[in-house]
Amino acid sequence: MDDATPHLARLSISLPGELLAELDGMVAARDLPSRSQMIAELIRHELAEHSASADAASVLAGTITLIYRAESGRVRHALAQTQLEFLPEVISSQHAFLEDDQSLEVLLVQGAAARLQQLCDALRRVRGVQQIKLVTTTALLPPLRTHAEVNS
């Protein structure tokens, strides 16, 4: 077997019929070739979350997705102030206006798992935030260039 080819292992699981039907519906909706691909994605997601909670010092990359009411700029200002307190962890942000005076904001983040959770919790406390989700991975962003490298 080629070293570049990942080793595959078979796994047999039993699921309640209703859960299997929902899984098959998700596989079809995402147009995936097999249940295995969907299950592997779900397991990877849960393992990333588990590793984040298991070692608070581990460095993770990820996103924080927020949906909030954009009333009179107060919420956006409070979110920006909170992000300033976590400047080393916030790599970038993207904002979009939604219908019904709502906004969607996605932050690209990287840092210690505990620090990312603190950022998420601080953003959650901003009045007007309706939904928030932190998604992380153990794969990291390449090192960013330093100011000295940019100017040389």
Side-chain angles (χ1 to χ4, degrees):
M1 181 159 93
D2 187 299
D3 286 338
T5 304
H7 173 72
L8 296 178
R10 292 212 176 265
L11 172 69
S12 175
I13 61 172
S14 299
L15 298 174
E18 185 177 304
L19 186 58
L20 180 60
E22 288 184 47
L23 177 65
D24 286 342
M26 184 185 288
V27 169
R30 294 185 182 182
D31 198 27
L32 295 174
S34 69
R35 290 177 185 149
S36 294
Q37 197 168 349
M38 184 78 255
I39 291 170
E41 180 183 329
L42 295 169
I43 290 172
R44 277 188 211 98
H45 175 75
E46 288 302 313
L47 287 173
E49 285 204 13
H50 174 73
S51 68
S53 64
D55 182 8
S58 63
V59 175
L60 304 171
T63 60
I64 298 175
T65 303
L66 303 111
I67 296 181
Y68 57 90
R69 287 268 177 222
E71 55 211 35
S72 71
R74 180 196 60 77
V75 178
R76 287 194 70 186
H77 179 74
L79 292 172
Q81 289 301 116
T82 302
Q83 290 175 42
L84 280 173
E85 296 170 22
F86 292 86
L87 206 50
E89 290 79 21
V90 178
I91 307 300
S92 69
S93 68
Q94 179 72 43
H95 174 267
F97 291 104
L98 303 175
E99 295 177 334
D100 302 324
D101 196 33
Q102 291 185 310
S103 285
L104 168 72
E105 189 160 346
V106 179
L107 307 178
L108 177 60
V109 295
Q110 182 166 288
R115 189 83 172 138
L116 296 183
Q117 191 58 57
Q118 290 170 0
L119 169 58
C120 191
D121 292 341
L123 293 168
R124 182 176 282 117
R125 287 190 292 272
V126 173
R127 189 167 172 231
V129 171
Q130 297 173 320
Q131 296 177 33
I132 186 166
K133 179 149 181 106
L134 170 64
V135 177
T136 59
T137 180
T138 54
L140 300 178
L141 296 165
L144 299 173
R145 296 187 303 172
T146 65
H147 184 68
E149 292 172 330
V150 171
N151 292 327
S152 58

